[in-house]
Amino acid sequence: MKLMSILDHVASAPAAAAPRRALFQQLGRAAVAALPLGLGAALPAAAETKDTSLDALTQLLLLERLVSAFYTRALANTSLIPAAQVPDFQRILRHQTQHVALFTQALQDSGAIMPAMPTFDFSGQRNVPGNPVLFPNVLTAYDDFLALAQQLEDLSARLYRSQVFNISYDPKLYKAALSIVAVEAEHSAHVRTLRRNRGVAVKSWPSATDAAIARPAAAQVLATAATGGEDNLAQEQQAGVLVPFASLLSVLRLTFVSDPSVAEAFDEPVSTAVAQAALSLFY
Amino acid sequence: MSDNLQPRGSDDATFAQPLYTPIKRRSFFMYAGATAGASALVLAGCSKDSDPVKPNLPTGNSTTADGSISLGSGDVGVLNYAYALEQLEADFYSKVAALSNGASLLGATEFAYFQQVAKHEAIHRDFFKAALTRDAAGQVLRNLTPKYPAGTFDSKTTILATAKAFEDLGVAAYNGAGKLIKTPAYLVIAGQIVSVEARHAAYIRDLITPGSFAADDQVAAASGLDMAMTPKEVLNTAQNFITEKLSGDSIGVNA
Amino acid sequence: MSEHSFSPAWRAQPLGRRGFLRVSAASAATVALVAATGCDTSTPEPVLPDPNLITLPAGDNGLLYSLYLLALAKATLYQKIYETPPTDLTTAERAIFSDLRDHEVAYRELLHLILDPNYLDPTKAAQLFPTDFAFKLTSFTLTTRAGVLVAAQQLEDLAAATYPVMVPLLTSSNPYQRVLLLKAASVQARHAAVVRDLLAPGSFANDDVVNAAGQLKPKTPVEVNTALAPFFAPYVISVANLPVPVL
Amino acid sequence: MNFFNIINQLAEVDPDVMGRLDTRRSVFNSLTSMSKRAAMAAGPALLASFFTKAYAGTTAGDPKEVFNYALTLEYLEADFYNKMIASPYFSTASAAAQAAIRQISKHETAHVNLLKAVVTGIGGTPTPAVTFKSATFASLTSFAAQLQVAQLLEDTGVRAYKGRAGDLLGLADVTITGIGTINPLQSALQIHSVEARHAAHIRYMRNQTPWITGTGDLDSQPHYTGAIPESNTTQSNVNLIAANSITPNTTYSAADAAASFDEILTPAEVTDNSRAGGLIGA
């Protein structure tokens, strides 16, 4: 990412953009997050991730563009989604389109360079015909479509949770993003419910008991980004202090909750780097 | 004879009987305890019987002012305390052992083991009842009515979690009550039972999380000590599973 | 009423029916005055014109109490459904309600622990509310599938809509609490979606609850309290001290 | 008076009866000589053997002696597990098995340190460390063979602690630097139940029942026999398996009755060469 160019651009931004200049208040201490070895090499040059407010908005925009494109193409294939569910995905698409507009506006207001629209490829071939197909039939077979939709919605809810505090400098965006977390979670829950109704062992919330979605190794990062670590039981209430669930939720106190259920009660975040690696599978 | 070596509530009249009376027809704990029994035998003619129970200490199975059932005082209190816990455990396992879908719910081998544990706990319960009936007639805790949260017997998860909770609680209860016992024989009995409870606890823990038989949440890593709990702590918890209100205020307290 | 009133020392005192949290509007002012003029440990118990008024504290604790009440409400509802499910609720649906119960018990207990760090120590634990304080289910119809779903949707929509409002109002310097609540926030939304879909398939995230910007319509603490208030009668909960969202 | 018979019956429930009779506790000071005189008169041969066993070089009933006795056993166990972990066969075990042995080893080492502090804290001198006989260990040429010995050690440990609990009855709490205030009896019980957890797990690792039913592959070893064998089905003169004995219309099996109560071993039995005694050495 061309930091100097962005800063130049900001400096010459129109006065109307001033209120959004705060977006860049964190740029000064932006640090390029090192990607895990081996992962970085597989990513496009632009995929470096940093946890600044600008990077947060940019990444969320990418996510929403990607998901919008996915549903747009899915709905374009009129034989893919059963008629009864078409309105569901039209609604989801409408929300995603609204989210795209929100971040587009936020970036424009702050005078940032608008990232180019990627050419999305949902086969996982990344626009190179010779590459292996990682996500077969996702735009032609309903169950395959739903499986990918679930992973993308899970990833969306997670990524918002991870990025939301990076944009908390702007109360309006912060609140919007928090509200969107809830909407993405409702989307995810609905897709999961649709899959469950089709006989897949999956709950409406990520659970250790969910049937895994089989993917080639090269696509595994999507599963990691969508649901990796959802069996986590270690929740910190302060730095280094874990919530004592074992004693809090015990048989003897008549408050027993099984470990998988405790894990379900807390959705987990995703690191921006892992999220980026997953998003990068599609363009 | 020293006051603190005689089981409270034992039948003092037996001291006056001829020494050739066969042991099995006597108050067995006085003899089983070796020290108390033997010293009683040897010193029967030259020591005074201990004072009767002071009236301000409740007897076992009596009703207290607030309507609770007292477990009693002194060693009888400890025995009734153990009896109450064994009643609860035995009831729980008998319900598990009776599950028609037990083998599919828990696994065939595990279900068979649970049926063994059910027998162990039933034996513990019935043993205490027999011992108390003989040694502290009139103070034997009544049959309690255990109660469980909805769904307790519906899934492997809740059955195992409840079993683990009860077994770990039982171990901690016996460990904490040992020092309240005055009669060595009772202590030996408690020791003989608590290690079996610990075996159960270890097994069930291993079923829930393999290798957690003596995990750091139960056995302190620095000292290597298992948990110990006071009767008050244990009863506060056990009360959640027993319909009758129990009072253990005088457990181990002697006149 | 100042947050000071929630100091452990205050809470550790034995609580009679007239004790905890119940401060009328007038007496709240009195307490505030006392606090402002050098509140010490001997805050006098104010005169209580309304013994059933429970005033939630200001600041983060007030928000946490509010979330606790939501969790308490939902856990109470789901426990009841779990114990005596309507006969027309399918096995699969019962499993969902069992999960809902588990999650809400976890939230209720967690929030209780956050509000009272001594919660797990019976010798020191405070009492958050009077012993007969409860979420009453009498106005719901819990004998039919439709009835339990209507009740559940009411509470889940409320929770899903208020978490995004409450989280940014927290001012604590402890970020872990916010993260924890955020992790619960999206699960609340999942609950809302699944319950909505059970009641009316495809009604997840519909226009009743999502605005034209694709965001969940927010509910303020006051709105939440207004919705829950009837169920806590005879107690009356005042959220007058709670932070108010500015945007 | 048939004192012989009385002692015999007492011994059924408490083989350490004579050891107990000679405790230092004041209440028995006068009793000791009396009982000895009475006992000698009643059955010299039996009692002589009893006394020989019960007094094996120590002063029974002294809490310092009891804790040093426990310390000796913990030294033996701790060294055994250290040897196990250092053994070339350790790496042949599964990760779970290795983790279990490490966890047990951690406890035994903790017990050694605790007991040393307790002995010192109550005014005694910790007994010198003992080790598991190297030659014997060398003969254990597989992880499975080592695990057999681990089971025997743990089950013996459980029985040994149980046999001495009575000697700690009534002792006041002691405050020990670095540990805090402990009740000696309670601490012994807390170690005892940990040993039982260890025993159960090792038996489980070996596909044995976690409790002692009498049908296990090692159940005929001396570690499970003794004056009161683990197969015992009579507790304190109560026959647990006779019909209607403790429960109307219910008859319990011998295996269930035996498994529901673990039995004691006396110090003499524990330190006998057939049990732990034979495993101590250079």
Side-chain angles (χ1 to χ4, degrees), chain D residues 20-246:
Chain D
R20 293 174 193 285
L21 286 174
D22 195 42
T23 83
R24 278 186 178 176
R25 275 173 287 161
S26 59
V27 64
F28 292 118
N29 280 349
S30 60
L31 176 62
T32 304
S33 56
M34 283 182 65
S35 63
K36 275 183 183 169
R37 280 201 299 276
M40 290 299 181
L46 171 87
L47 289 165
S49 90
F50 251 131
F51 280 104
T52 309
K53 274 183 133 182
Y55 291 96
T58 58
T59 310
D62 177 350
K64 293 193 279 287
E65 180 275 328
V66 175
F67 278 110
N68 265 330
Y69 168 67
L71 178 57
T72 303
L73 288 173
E74 296 289 352
Y75 269 130
L76 180 66
E77 289 184 320
D79 184 62
F80 175 77
Y81 289 111
N82 285 340
K83 284 189 162 76
M84 230 180 137
I85 291 168
S87 146
Y89 303 110
F90 194 62
S91 62
T92 67
S94 69
Q98 293 185 22
I101 296 301
R102 286 207 166 90
Q103 178 76 355
I104 294 172
S105 172
K106 181 176 86 179
H107 293 155
E108 307 302 2
T109 303
H111 293 163
V112 165
N113 293 332
L114 179 72
L115 290 169
K116 276 161 73 177
V118 170
V119 171
T120 308
I122 58 178
T125 305
T127 191
V130 299
T131 54
F132 191 93
K133 209 181 268 180
S134 295
T136 307
F137 191 83
S139 71
L140 307 170
T141 54
S142 68
F143 186 76
Q146 293 171 358
L147 216 49
Q148 286 191 1
V149 175
Q151 178 186 320
L152 296 175
L153 274 178
E154 294 292 350
D155 276 333
T156 303
V158 173
R159 301 185 71 182
Y161 272 96
K162 217 184 306 290
R164 301 310 298 271
D167 290 324
L168 302 174
L169 203 53
L171 291 178
D173 292 357
V174 289
T175 300
I176 297 165
T177 314
I179 292 175
T181 301
I182 61 150
N183 179 278
L185 170 59
Q186 182 168 308
S187 295
L189 288 172
Q190 287 172 278
I191 295 176
H192 166 245
S193 61
V194 173
E195 301 292 337
R197 287 175 189 268
H198 293 172
H201 185 73
I202 291 171
R203 296 176 68 93
Y204 186 53
M205 287 169 80
R206 299 190 61 252
N207 290 319
Q208 305 292 308
T209 53
W211 35 86
I212 305 165
T213 58
T215 57
D217 62 349
L218 300 175
D219 285 357
S220 60
Q221 296 294 314
H223 310 78
Y224 299 96
T225 61
I228 310 179
E230 285 287 3
S231 58
N232 179 34
T233 56
T234 297
Q235 297 299 337
S236 302
N237 280 353
V238 178
N239 185 331
L240 302 175
I241 57 171
N244 297 318
S245 171
I246 55 174

Side-chain angles (χ1 to χ4, degrees), chain B residues 23 28 31 41 116 119 124 126 134 168 175 179 181 191-192 195 199 206 213-214 216 218 224 226 228, chain D residues 6 10 103 106-107 111 155 162 186 190 193 197 201 210-211 235-236 238 247 252 256 260 262-263:
Chain B
I23 283 177
F28 84 102
Y31 301 97
L41 286 170
Q116 290 186 30
K119 295 287 188 199
H124 293 164
D126 295 345
R134 186 168 46 184
D168 281 341
N175 280 348
K179 65 183 179 188
I181 296 173
Q192 289 182 263
S195 57
R199 290 174 190 273
D206 277 342
F213 59 100
D216 292 355
Q218 182 67 24
D226 212 330
Chain D
I6 290 166
L10 289 174
Q103 178 76 355
K106 181 176 86 179
H107 293 155
H111 293 163
D155 276 333
K162 217 184 306 290
Q186 182 168 308
Q190 287 172 278
S193 61
R197 287 175 189 268
H201 185 73
W211 35 86
Q235 297 299 337
S236 302
V238 178
T247 317
Y252 294 110
D256 287 336
S260 62
D262 282 341
E263 304 295 344

Side-chain angles (χ1 to χ4, degrees), chain B residues 165-253:
Chain B
F166 284 5
E167 295 292 355
D168 281 341
L169 182 71
V171 171
Y174 278 105
N175 280 348
K179 65 183 179 188
L180 302 174
I181 296 173
K182 302 295 187 293
T183 310
Y186 294 156
L187 179 60
V188 172
I189 289 293
Q192 289 182 263
I193 292 174
V194 66
S195 57
V196 175
E197 304 290 353
R199 290 174 190 273
H200 295 165
Y203 169 64
I204 289 158
R205 283 180 153 264
D206 277 342
L207 289 183
I208 295 173
T209 307
S212 68
F213 59 100
D216 292 355
D217 69 320
Q218 182 67 24
V219 177
S223 63
L225 293 179
D226 212 330
M227 298 274 273
M229 289 168 79
T230 65
K232 188 182 167 74
E233 290 168 333
V234 171
L235 287 172
N236 269 343
T237 296
Q239 193 65 64
N240 285 333
F241 301 90
I242 296 171
T243 308
E244 295 82 3
K245 177 94 180 73
L246 298 179
S247 166
D249 294 347
S250 304
I251 290 173
V253 177

Side-chain angles (χ1 to χ4, degrees), chain A residues 235-243, chain C residues 113-114 117 172 174-177 180:
Chain A
Q235 303 291 353
E236 280 180 291
Q237 52 177 348
Q238 299 167 37
V241 180
L242 296 182
V243 178
Chain C
L113 182 70
I114 292 175
S172 164
N174 171 8
Y176 294 91
Q177 229 167 59
L180 215 44

Side-chain angles (χ1 to χ4, degrees), chain C residues 94-131:
Chain C
R94 286 178 201 196
I96 290 172
F97 275 99
S98 167
D99 282 351
L100 294 177
R101 174 238 174 236
D102 282 358
H103 301 168
E104 297 302 334
V105 168
Y107 301 142
R108 184 194 66 202
E109 294 299 296
L110 169 65
L111 287 161
H112 197 143
L113 182 70
I114 292 175
L115 286 167
D116 176 14
N118 291 323
Y119 181 38
L120 289 173
D121 181 346
T123 62
K124 291 190 206 152
Q127 200 181 329
L128 295 190
F129 290 100
T131 47

